[in-house]
Amino acid sequence: MTHDRDRSPAQEARAAAIEWWVVSRAGFSREERARFEAWRAADPAHAAAYADIERTYAHVRSVRRARRAQAPAKTRRRERLVAGAAVALAASLAIYVAIGPLSIMLRANVATGTGETRVVTLSDGSTVTLDARSAIALRFTEGERRVSLLEGEAWFEVVNDPARPFVVEAGGGTVTDLGTTFDVDIVDGGARVAVGEHSVAVASKGEMVIVEEGRQTSFAAQSPPAQPSPAPRSLAAWRRGSLVFEDRPLGEVLRALGRYRRGFVECATREICARPVTAVLPAGDPRQALREIELFLGLRSVHFTEMMVILYE
C-alpha cells in the first residue's frame, strides 16, 4: 500500500482501506489475502476504516437497487453504463495500486507524487521540471546524455554540448535536443513534444521530423511522428499552476487532472470522453476543476469513494 507523510494516521488508514477494497473487488491472490489480513489485524483503526468502506459501498448498492426499482428505462440504462464504468475503473485502479507505482519507482532516478512538481538540476547543468506523477531515469555517459521519461510530463532546459547529445526517450520514440527548451508529455502510450525555443529532432518508428520553436508533434506507440503543427500559446502552463486545454478530448483532460488528485476519474461512455474541452483549470484545486468540467459539459458525477468517480450525462 502507498503512504503519504502529509496525511494523518486516520487519513492514512482510510486511504489504505480504499486500496485494499479495490484489490478485493478484483479478487485477492493467496499472498494478497495474507497481507490484507495482517494489515487489518495490525491496528483497530485499520479494521474500522475497512469496515467503513464496506458499509459505504453496501449503502450505495442498496440505494441503487431502490432507485432502479422505480427508475424509467432511460435511467436504468444510464445506471448500467455507470456501473460498467465503475467495474472497469475498479480493475484499472487495482492494477495501478498493485504494479503501477512500484514498476515506475524501481526504474526512476527522480519522481514526483500526486500534486507535486519539482525542478531538478542535472550534472551537466541542464534542468528538468517534472509535472505531478512524473518520473525520469538518467543514463549519462562521456558521449551522450540520455533521459527516459517513464511517466507523466516534463519540461527540459538543456545546456548545449555538441560532443554529448541530449536525448529524451518517451513513448517508444526519442527527442534529440538541438539547443533548446521543450516539453514532453506521455499520451496514450505515445508522446507529444512541443518546443519553447530553438528546435528538436523527434524520431519514432524509423522516421524523424524536425520541430521548430513554437511548434509541436506527437506520435502513437509504434507509429511515426506527425507533421509539426502550431503549439498552444499556453505551453507547459502547469509550471505556473494552471491546466490549460484548447479543444482537447475530455479523456485527455481527466488524465492530466489525475496527476493532481488521488484515485481515478472515468467517463461512463467513450462518447463522453471524446467531447472537446477548452478551459483553464486550477491545478492546485482538483475538486474545483472537476466541478468546472461538469458545469462546462453539462455532466454529473457519482463518487463511489474519493478514489473512484464516474462522469455521466
Side-chain angles (χ1 to χ4, degrees):
M1 298 294 100
T2 57
H3 300 279
D4 189 328
R5 296 176 183 176
D6 295 330
R7 290 190 291 212
S8 68
Q11 291 173 323
E12 188 71 40
R14 181 171 177 80
I18 291 171
E19 293 181 0
W20 277 124
W21 180 84
V22 171
V23 174
S24 75
R25 300 299 297 173
F28 278 130
S29 67
R30 182 177 300 178
E31 180 183 357
E32 287 170 339
R33 168 67 69 178
R35 289 194 290 115
F36 164 69
E37 294 296 351
W39 170 82
R40 186 163 60 173
D43 190 327
H46 295 176
Y50 191 80
D52 183 59
I53 297 300
E54 287 193 314
R55 283 194 299 270
T56 300
Y57 180 67
H59 175 69
V60 170
R61 285 193 301 176
S62 65
V63 170
R64 191 185 304 159
R65 282 195 297 267
R67 289 179 176 175
R68 186 180 295 118
Q70 302 175 359
K74 183 177 180 180
T75 301
R76 292 179 185 176
R77 177 178 179 276
R78 181 171 59 199
E79 289 189 350
R80 284 197 298 271
L81 291 173
V82 171
V87 171
L89 186 56
S92 298
L93 183 55
I95 293 171
Y96 179 79
V97 167
I99 64 174
L102 178 60
S103 65
I104 296 294
M105 292 306 105
L106 288 175
R107 293 181 288 159
N109 294 107
V110 184
T112 53
T114 301
E116 174 193 10
T117 60
R118 184 185 305 177
V119 179
V120 180
T121 301
L122 306 181
S123 59
D124 67 333
S126 300
T127 61
V128 183
T129 305
L130 292 174
D131 194 7
R133 280 193 187 176
S134 300
I136 56 173
L138 306 173
R139 297 197 307 277
F140 278 29
T141 66
E142 292 184 0
E144 183 183 64
R145 299 165 291 170
R146 186 168 288 260
V147 179
S148 295
L149 180 60
L150 305 175
E151 180 181 39
E153 186 170 0
W155 174 263
F156 296 86
E157 299 183 31
V158 180
V159 173
N160 188 35
D161 183 354
R164 297 177 71 205
F166 192 101
V167 180
V168 177
E169 297 177 344
T174 61
V175 182
T176 302
D177 165 66
L178 301 176
T180 187
T181 61
F182 58 96
D183 183 83
V184 183
D185 185 13
I186 299 292
V187 180
D188 296 331
R192 182 170 58 243
V193 181
V195 179
E197 295 179 359
H198 303 296
S199 61
V200 298
V202 178
S204 178
K205 198 61 175 178
E207 297 187 24
M208 184 185 72
V209 297
I210 301 298
V211 185
E212 304 287 347
E213 182 174 322
R215 309 282 286 179
Q216 67 177 0
T217 186
S218 62
F219 55 87
Q222 302 301 314
S223 298
Q227 287 301 308
S229 60
R233 293 184 297 274
S234 55
L235 179 61
W238 52 267
R239 294 181 297 146
R240 300 180 292 277
S242 295
L243 301 177
V244 181
F245 305 96
E246 298 178 20
D247 200 31
R248 305 308 304 169
L250 175 59
E252 182 179 320
V253 174
L254 295 179
R255 175 187 58 79
L257 183 61
R259 296 174 184 165
Y260 291 85
R261 71 179 305 280
R262 298 188 183 281
F264 286 77
V265 181
E266 189 54 87
C267 307
T269 67
R270 292 181 180 179
E271 290 76 14
I272 292 176
C273 262
R275 287 190 180 184
V277 176
T278 297
V280 178
L281 303 174
D285 191 350
R287 288 187 179 182
Q288 178 61 29
L290 193 56
R291 285 194 291 267
E292 291 181 15
I293 289 172
E294 293 176 39
L295 180 63
F296 293 157
L297 299 182
L299 299 176
R300 298 179 181 180
S301 64
V302 56
H303 294 242
F304 292 92
T305 69
E306 281 300 311
M307 296 283 285
M308 296 174 58
V309 180
I310 305 293
L311 296 180
Y312 68 97
E313 293 184 283

